[in-house]
Amino acid sequence: MASHLFCGRVNLNILREAARKDLREFLDKCSGSKEHEVEKMFTLKGGRIPSAAVKNIVFFVRPRLELMDIIAENVASEDKLHPRDFHILFVPRRSLLCEQRLKEKGVLNSFTNIDEYILDLIPYDGDLLSMESESSFRECYLESDQTSLYHAAKGLMTLQALYGTIPQIFGKGECARHVANMMLRMKREFAGSHTQILPVFDTLLLLDRNVDLLTPLATQLTYEGLIDEIFSITNGYVKLPPEKFAQKKQGEGGKDLPTEPKKLQLNSAEELYAEIRDKNFNAVGAALSKKAKVISAAFEERHNAKTVGEIKQFVSQLPHMQAARSSLANHTSIAELIKDITTSEDFFDSLTVEQEFMTGVDTDKVSTYIEDCVAQKDPLIKILRLVCMQSVCNNGLKQKVLDFYKREILQTYGYKHILTLKNLEKVGLLKPQSTMRNNYPTIRKTLKLWMEDTNEQNPNDISYVYSGYAPLSVRLTQVLARPGWRSIEEVLKMLPGPHFEERQQVPTGLHKKRQPGENRTTLVFFLGGVTYAEIAALRFLSNMEDSGTEYIIATTKLINGTSWIKSLMDSPEENLP
Amino acid sequence: MAFVTANWNPLGESFYRKIELYEMGWNLKDGLRDCLVAAAPYGGPIALLKAHNRRSPSARPQLEIFSSSGLPLASFPWKSGMVKQLGWTVSDDLLCVQEDGTVLVYDLLGGFKRHFSMGNEVSQSQVLETKIFHSPYGTGVAILTGALRFTLATNIDDIKLRRLPEVPGLQGAPSCWAVLTQDRQSKVLVASGPHLFILDNTACTPVTPPGLSPQASSIVHMCVSFSYKYLALLTDSGHVWMGTSNLKEKLSEVDTKIKGSPKQMAWCRRPKSQQPSAVVMWDGLLLVVGECKETIQYHLEDDSILVPELDGVRIISGTHHELLQEVPGACEEIFKIASMAPGALLLEAHKEYEKESQKADEYLREIKEQSLLSEAVRQCVEAAGHEHEPETQKTLLRAASFGKCFLSNFPPEQFVSMCKDLRVLNAVRDYTVGIPLSHTQFKQMTLQVLIDRLVYRKLYLLAIEVCRYLKTPEYQGVSRVLKHWACYKVQQKEESDEVIAKAVSVKLADAAGISYSEIATKAYESGRTELAIKLLEFEPRSGEQVPLLLKMKKSPLALSKAIESGDTDLVYTVVMYLKNELNRGDFFMMLRNQPVALSLYKQFCKHQEQETLKDLFNQDDDHEELGNFYVKASYKEQRLEARIAHLQSAVDEYYKAKNEFSAKTTEDEMRLLRFQRKLEEEKDEQLVGFSLQDTMTTLLSVGLHKHAEQLYKDFRMPDKRFWWLKLKALAEKEDWEELEKFSKSKKSPIGYLPFVEVCIKHHNKCEARKYVAKVSPEQKVKAHLAVGDVEGAAEAAIERRNESEISTVLSRCSATTDHLLVERLNRAKATVPKKGSSITFTDGTLQSRRLLQEQRSERKRGYKLKRSCRP
């Protein structure tokens, strides 16, 4: 079922199994028996819980006050004649504040069990862990609420309990520093309670999202990145317009088209997807047609099967081949859907402007393209992404330029967005130019963020994921592995927040003896979110010959520019009649 | 080895043995006579209250507590009321039930812990009899009151008193009664003359034991087995009836031929027992009854008490402490006279081997021929566990070890763990410790509990040694013991804070997972706040320090520790606590010094207490945030006036914050709202809440050009956007005449290509053509192509000598196009000068622009499109 978790260097299934065990234990406690048939699952909402013939109702919730009010309402409106047992499972941690709230609402005693389900890092793929904490970036950088960082530190402790102490910790940024401090403190607190395990990870790299604000703003150009940009991947699934997926069977040409969106799971368990997800979209077509040839060749094999043994062998491979064929059909359809967008003039125009900004062209002036887009009332998020990008690439905009953009946006999309603009300013995505000179070109040059000769088909550098732009965050990771951060001290100082290195004592006897040629394993933790393109870039580094390092990625949330900006928006609901 | 069986007595199919555990170390003048005695199971302590029923106030009885070997643990004069019953809880606490229903709880060293009452009804009608019992929920107390009613508490740690229903026809005290645990419920079984009743929460049900001897006219005694599964009844006719406690099945009935009332009766059973058996005690006589007619009789010299155990009955007298039990299967197999069981043979073989006799080989062969060697080893190991004498244990274990030598692949775990267990058991059975635990009991009780019991007795060193020897994880073993030690240490009043703190920190330094906060709590509870604070400093988990610090009213320290822990929920907890404790001013002051707490509290207020949020901003003179606050508030308002009032407050705050942009913008917003309302009233057009852009679009679409124009001027809207707006609005209305007028009103700031495109979009090629001529040269090609005029496009492209434009036109040439045109284009393309060659770049920007353009054409291969020149 979770085969995709096995494939990586680090077996993340251990984490998954540990989490499953905890859940089973809780359910055992609720039902008082060993059988836990989950009858139904409902999304939390006010009013009465839909009826279901069950004895136990378990609330799975994040510890947030507003959710407590909903739960209280649910419990209060329960049918008094047929009472059911209520239980709360807080994910990932119990909260006194929430329990206090339930008490105030007078329902705390209605719960048979109140417990926590410590699930900080959720395994998403063989090399990917996410906390799925949507508002983490907003909380940390806008609201100075570091709750998610505490959970991150706890999650890292769980990880170390299962995979051994990580001997080296590197980090860049305020949040990274905070997480590292908490980890070191917790390490001291739990001294001796951990079983001794040979360390699986050699290095942990903690990166603040605000060290690299640029990357998520850029449009991702990998296959998976584009799927996310256009259709948005949620919890490993994507919903696609159904037209392209209609089953075309012979003889029933005029059948109704399906109206329900097509839902597809996307992870590396699907062989073809694993192969193409991280390719630049321009290389996907070729890969798909190659695959098509291989598959049809495989089906052709049947003509060569002469003996009974050969036929038997062919038949035994059929299910696999059929799965491969349907997978190919799906991805061909997705690729077509994406191609409709990427070949549009709109897409190309905005990409051009993005690339101009990233290469430092005209970043100090009002961009006519943005102006036009506002005039056309293009989606607000698109405008915000571009303006923020220009600001980041220019290390702030001239006051006049900034005010112009702001006025344009407020007049066109409504004054209520003033709060959103302020939020963007607060987190540093938008800012007026200070007296300091624009250091972005220096950073770009030193870290080689723009590569002239990017090869999209057979990449030799991470810049392929944005067709020219090499994500800063990943560049930092790459430099850390070789030749080390000492070589870029100057640039590190220009980026916000401290950079640091910590070592954790590993008991003697647990020091890893590396075989010659054996790679190091680094866990890169993006605090505040990571994009699929960045993940692709890190996977590229892992797979590069003689890279010497393999990467496992952890994050507070999988993001893209749109979802990220959206999380920072503050648009009060209008209440006028 | 005849001596092993010397104390064996046969009863039916099996044997019973009485082992001496200790010669009692106490020196009691009158033995156990006239004493209230309670001995805890699992070899627990013994409590003794002498002369408890003498009512004279001057003679205060002495309450004494001893270990199972009779060593004194505590002794103090009893000053409270008349004690009816003593008993022990599962965690070795002593319960003293008084006549008035008050229960006093002492620890096993005589320290008073607490007291509780069994209810008004009990205290009014007084306690007649009481029984202390153990249920799955803990230790319970059952009371029979003077009013002949039963009151029950199943768990004294969570007291819920239950008054059981009345027993019909009960005139005086029942002849006997017992507490049963059935179906997770505690019930009382009462014998009133010949009748038996079961009392549960709701009902009193008469019951009849199946097959009870008809000679009996009343039941004089009853007892329930350790596991609550079996029940034994003694009738006035001297018959002992044994059966299951649900009274569904009879196991046996034996005539004791003694008619007197016994002093005590107890089950004598062990897990995997071969027969049910009970022990009945009269003055000077002890009788074991089983299934057969025969009984075993022991003579008692002294007053004794019976203590039922999981695997037998302990008999405590003034001088001796013995264990009576059915001989376990393995021991019987091995030691029974003339036994040919494999274990017995192995033992014999080993004996011969020690004597260096070749008979050893013969015995071994005999076992091996039947392939029973592993069974033999297993028997020896098991039997060793059941033997009390270390010498016998050793002999058996040596034999087992000898047998093991001839086995390959025999798993060693059982042997090894038995050796270790026995070593621990022998240590705790030692006279000085006095816990006569059998192996069966030890396994049932678990090591954890044994460690706890050692800790209760303050045998810290032994507890630590046991943990180390059994390699218990430090966390659950040594550290736990040390913590208890430290908790005890901090209560020693005679030592100074410094000395204690130092002693504790030195001893606990290397132990993992010590909870200093628990130790500090103990110190605080015994009134030593300073010591508690000192100890808290050793606590590495800052989160753990917080609750105690709050309790000690060290709130600033608590707050900073909570912040240090990083656990925001904890910070919230402290903040909420402070909010209730302090007055508002002090509370805000304290938050001000702790930015992390302040921002968390602001988060809380944002969702829960908007008004407090405002106060916080006010306190900090944070006008910017106040402005934002009012803006947000304005959107919650239903009425426009209220909304504008809020916005005005926001404007004021923004000015105070010197944020001119926000102030001006908000003023604009107010202006727009007023304008919208005015127009709504005048023109009846839905406008309020629209953005400026949308307002104007609406105005233009309904033809209110003047008003739109006014807004454009008032709000200093950029020309470009206004042109776009008007262009689109007019096209939408297909008001081509007005559009043309507009295009001529002045020079278009957005060029004329949009005019062309907008017309095409609305499928009006004819109108579109009107504007092609006006389009600037750079866009001309595109304009021509838009209206489908390939020739025109070609002309323009050739004129501009632009390679990429020519290519674009070429790509639009179809087969039907004049091939002359194609040729012309191709020729022109060939003559176009190569880019860059004729122009010299002078500055960096241009340089990068050139590079960019090249990349762009590179990318074109990928994205198959090229962005045309923008206006």
Side-chain angles (χ1 to χ4, degrees), chain A residues 227-455:
Chain A
I227 297 179
D228 188 38
E229 294 274 351
I230 300 169
F231 305 107
S232 85
I233 302 174
T234 19
N235 302 329
Y237 284 87
V238 66
K239 281 186 185 162
L240 297 159
E243 301 82 37
K244 294 246 179 188
F245 295 91
Q247 290 281 330
K248 275 176 217 142
K249 278 187 192 145
Q250 280 166 349
E252 26 185 319
K255 264 221 141 178
D256 303 314
L257 282 173
T259 44
E260 283 282 299
K262 169 102 175 167
K263 199 173 174 188
L264 277 179
Q265 190 178 18
L266 298 175
N267 62 43
S268 54
E270 191 184 348
E271 197 185 315
L272 175 62
Y273 187 62
E275 207 180 305
I276 58 172
R277 68 196 302 186
D278 299 322
K279 283 190 189 300
N280 186 294
F281 184 65
N282 281 333
V284 168
L288 287 176
S289 77
K290 208 174 101 193
K291 190 78 183 178
K293 276 180 202 137
V294 172
I295 290 176
S296 63
F299 274 99
E300 283 308 302
E301 281 291 303
R302 69 173 182 270
H303 299 302
N304 300 338
K306 292 281 186 310
T307 67
V308 177
E310 281 168 348
I311 292 169
K312 198 175 168 196
Q313 164 128 33
F314 175 80
V315 171
S316 71
Q317 285 171 348
L318 259 180
H320 178 247
M321 282 159 58
Q322 276 159 345
R325 190 162 60 180
S326 94
S327 156
L328 179 70
N330 280 341
H331 287 291
T332 310
S333 305
I334 299 175
E336 280 170 12
L337 284 169
I338 294 175
K339 198 155 180 260
D340 290 348
I341 310 267
T342 54
T343 50
S344 71
E345 195 159 341
D346 263 359
F347 184 83
F348 191 78
D349 288 352
S350 99
L351 197 65
T352 309
V353 176
E354 278 184 21
Q355 301 202 337
E356 280 178 2
F357 287 157
M358 286 192 282
T359 44
V361 178
D362 289 346
T363 49
D364 52 349
K365 296 192 210 109
V366 170
S367 152
T368 29
Y369 177 69
I370 297 179
E371 224 180 330
D372 287 354
C373 288
V374 174
Q376 309 291 334
K377 209 175 172 196
D378 279 359
L380 174 61
I381 292 186
K382 173 185 173 184
I383 310 296
L384 293 175
R385 263 176 95 158
L386 285 170
V387 174
C388 289
M389 188 178 222
Q390 186 179 354
S391 168
V392 172
C393 290
N394 200 47
N395 195 18
L397 297 168
K398 278 184 196 150
Q399 192 69 52
K400 233 177 69 187
V401 176
L402 181 61
D403 287 353
F404 175 80
Y405 279 138
K406 277 159 72 177
R407 198 173 297 121
E408 285 282 283
I409 290 169
L410 293 175
Q411 289 190 354
T412 309
Y413 299 93
Y415 287 105
K416 61 183 172 184
H417 293 292
I418 191 167
L419 298 172
T420 299
L421 292 174
K422 280 170 190 247
N423 288 349
L424 295 175
E425 283 186 68
K426 222 165 163 183
V427 299
L429 274 167
L430 266 186
K431 58 180 177 183
Q433 207 165 39
S434 58
T435 44
M436 268 191 355
R437 107 197 154 78
N438 178 8
N439 55 22
Y440 175 71
T442 323
I443 298 171
R444 186 183 70 221
K445 276 170 211 146
T446 322
L447 292 179
K448 300 202 185 67
L449 296 186
W450 187 262
M451 299 299 279
E452 300 296 352
D453 42 7
T454 291
N455 185 338

Side-chain angles (χ1 to χ4, degrees), chain A residues 64-66 69 93-98 101 138-139 143-147 150 178 182 185-186 188-193 221 226 280-282 339 342-345 347-349 351-353 355-356 359-362 365 367-369 371-372 374-377 402-404 406-408 410-419 421-422 426 450 452 454 456 467 570 572-577, chain B residues 474-475 511-513 540-543 563-570 572-573 576 595-596 599-600 603-604 606-608 624-625 627-629 631-632 635-640 643 654 659 661-662 665-666 668-669 672-673 686 688-694 715-718 720-721 724-725 728 750 782 845 848-849 851-852 855-856 858-868 870-871:
Chain A
R64 307 189 82 100
L65 286 178
E66 47 296 4
D69 297 348
R93 218 144 266 115
R94 277 180 89 135
S95 149
L96 295 163
L97 200 63
C98 289
R101 167 54 59 103
R138 182 189 171 104
E139 284 165 9
E143 291 160 341
S144 318
D145 173 357
Q146 297 175 324
T147 308
Y150 178 69
H178 187 61
M182 280 191 285
R185 164 179 292 281
M186 288 172 191
R188 259 180 286 140
E189 294 179 1
F190 292 106
S193 63
L221 295 176
L226 276 167
N280 186 294
F281 184 65
N282 281 333
K339 198 155 180 260
T342 54
T343 50
S344 71
E345 195 159 341
F347 184 83
F348 191 78
D349 288 352
L351 197 65
T352 309
V353 176
Q355 301 202 337
E356 280 178 2
T359 44
V361 178
D362 289 346
K365 296 192 210 109
S367 152
T368 29
Y369 177 69
E371 224 180 330
D372 287 354
V374 174
Q376 309 291 334
K377 209 175 172 196
L402 181 61
D403 287 353
F404 175 80
K406 277 159 72 177
R407 198 173 297 121
E408 285 282 283
L410 293 175
Q411 289 190 354
T412 309
Y413 299 93
Y415 287 105
K416 61 183 172 184
H417 293 292
I418 191 167
L419 298 172
L421 292 174
K422 280 170 190 247
K426 222 165 163 183
W450 187 262
E452 300 296 352
T454 291
E456 293 167 344
S467 290
D570 230 344
E573 304 262 316
E574 289 203 51
N575 229 346
L576 281 172
Chain B
E474 205 174 349
Y475 213 47
R541 287 170 293 177
S542 21
I563 291 168
E564 210 174 87
S565 76
D567 183 349
T568 43
D569 188 51
L570 198 63
Y572 272 129
T573 310
M576 291 305 145
V596 175
S599 47
L600 284 178
Q603 273 282 82
F604 171 80
K606 209 179 279 173
H607 297 293
Q608 311 289 332
E624 176 75 23
E625 282 297 343
N628 297 343
F629 178 84
V631 168
K632 241 180 247 172
Y635 282 95
K636 294 212 181 77
E637 289 298 338
Q638 294 273 348
R639 287 166 35 252
L640 197 68
R643 186 159 168 184
Y654 284 141
N659 187 339
F661 180 86
S662 296
T665 312
T666 311
D668 282 352
E669 184 176 3
L672 180 64
L673 281 171
Q686 179 74 37
V688 172
F690 281 16
S691 75
L692 179 63
Q693 180 98 339
D694 295 342
F715 286 85
R716 283 174 302 154
M717 191 188 245
K720 276 192 200 171
R721 194 143 51 79
W724 268 112
L725 193 67
K728 276 166 58 180
I750 53 172
K782 220 177 165 193
T845 334
S848 61
R849 188 198 286 274
L851 285 172
L852 187 78
Q855 286 147 24
R856 240 188 263 167
E858 180 107 348
R859 267 205 324 271
K860 202 170 59 177
R861 254 180 275 134
Y863 288 98
K864 296 272 159 45
L865 247 169
K866 185 182 176 298
R867 186 172 155 65
S868 69
R870 291 195 311 274

Side-chain angles (χ1 to χ4, degrees), chain B residues 200-474:
Chain B
D200 60 16
N201 286 355
T202 49
C204 172
T205 325
V207 282
T208 333
L212 187 66
S213 157
Q215 288 132 288
S217 63
S218 80
I219 293 160
V220 293
H221 216 98
M222 63 170 75
C223 70
V224 186
S225 72
F226 204 78
S227 62
Y228 291 102
K229 270 193 201 141
Y230 303 101
L231 176 72
L233 305 170
L234 180 68
T235 63
D236 56 350
S237 59
H239 284 83
V240 174
W241 179 94
M242 281 183 268
T244 53
S245 61
N246 56 14
L247 292 163
K248 293 239 166 80
E249 198 185 328
K250 174 182 168 178
L251 296 171
S252 81
E253 191 169 34
V254 179
D255 186 3
T256 62
K257 303 191 179 70
I258 300 170
K259 298 241 163 97
S261 174
K263 285 175 73 180
Q264 212 180 340
M265 181 161 81
W267 274 86
C268 180
R269 260 198 121 255
R270 56 178 303 112
K272 295 185 206 145
S273 228
Q274 297 184 28
Q275 63 173 335
S277 57
V279 179
V280 196
M281 183 175 77
W282 287 270
D283 266 331
L285 180 68
L286 193 72
L287 210 66
V288 185
V289 292
E291 279 176 325
C292 56
K293 264 201 293 196
E294 292 80 35
T295 55
I296 306 171
Q297 297 195 8
Y298 292 102
H299 174 66
L300 292 175
E301 304 201 336
D302 215 351
D303 275 350
S304 301
I305 61 153
L306 301 178
V307 187
E309 288 280 5
L310 176 68
D311 54 351
V313 175
R314 282 186 292 131
I315 304 157
I316 302 169
S317 75
T319 50
H320 286 84
H321 191 162
E322 293 167 307
L323 172 69
L324 174 65
Q325 64 172 178
E326 186 189 301
V327 174
C331 299
E332 191 185 321
E333 293 266 17
I334 289 175
F335 293 117
K336 199 163 74 181
I337 293 160
S339 167
M340 291 297 276
L345 293 176
L346 179 58
L347 187 66
E348 212 51 44
H350 181 246
K351 232 187 259 170
E352 295 300 332
Y353 170 75
E354 300 252 276
K355 283 193 238 157
E356 300 186 10
S357 153
Q358 92 278 5
K359 275 191 186 158
D361 185 50
E362 283 170 26
Y363 283 121
L364 262 180
R365 270 177 206 280
E366 201 180 330
I367 311 169
K368 283 176 93 172
E369 269 160 21
Q370 304 172 63
S371 335
L372 286 171
L373 189 50
S374 55
E375 172 65 11
V377 173
R378 207 194 44 73
Q379 274 185 357
C380 285
V381 172
E382 200 192 318
H386 293 304
E387 286 300 324
H388 195 67
E389 283 302 319
E391 273 315 310
T392 320
Q393 295 165 4
K394 277 187 207 163
T395 315
L396 286 162
L397 287 171
R398 282 207 193 97
S401 157
F402 174 69
K404 247 159 47 81
C405 297
F406 302 95
L407 284 168
S408 50
N409 297 330
F410 186 79
E413 292 81 11
Q414 196 201 0
F415 179 79
V416 173
S417 66
M418 182 58 80
C419 290
K420 287 185 162 180
D421 288 352
L422 282 176
R423 193 156 176 210
V424 170
L425 284 175
N426 289 336
V428 300
R429 285 171 190 166
D430 188 88
Y431 186 76
T432 52
V433 180
I435 304 179
L437 211 54
S438 74
H439 191 256
T440 317
Q441 292 164 18
F442 172 59
K443 283 291 155 197
Q444 175 75 20
M445 164 195 226
T446 72
L447 176 66
Q448 289 288 322
V449 177
L450 177 61
I451 300 292
D452 282 342
R453 303 231 153 156
L454 292 176
V455 165
Y456 296 147
R457 286 165 173 77
K458 312 232 180 297
L459 298 169
Y460 300 112
L461 187 60
L462 179 62
I464 288 179
E465 292 298 336
V466 170
C467 291
R468 291 209 175 119
Y469 179 67
L470 292 182
K471 298 205 173 68
T472 320
E474 205 174 349

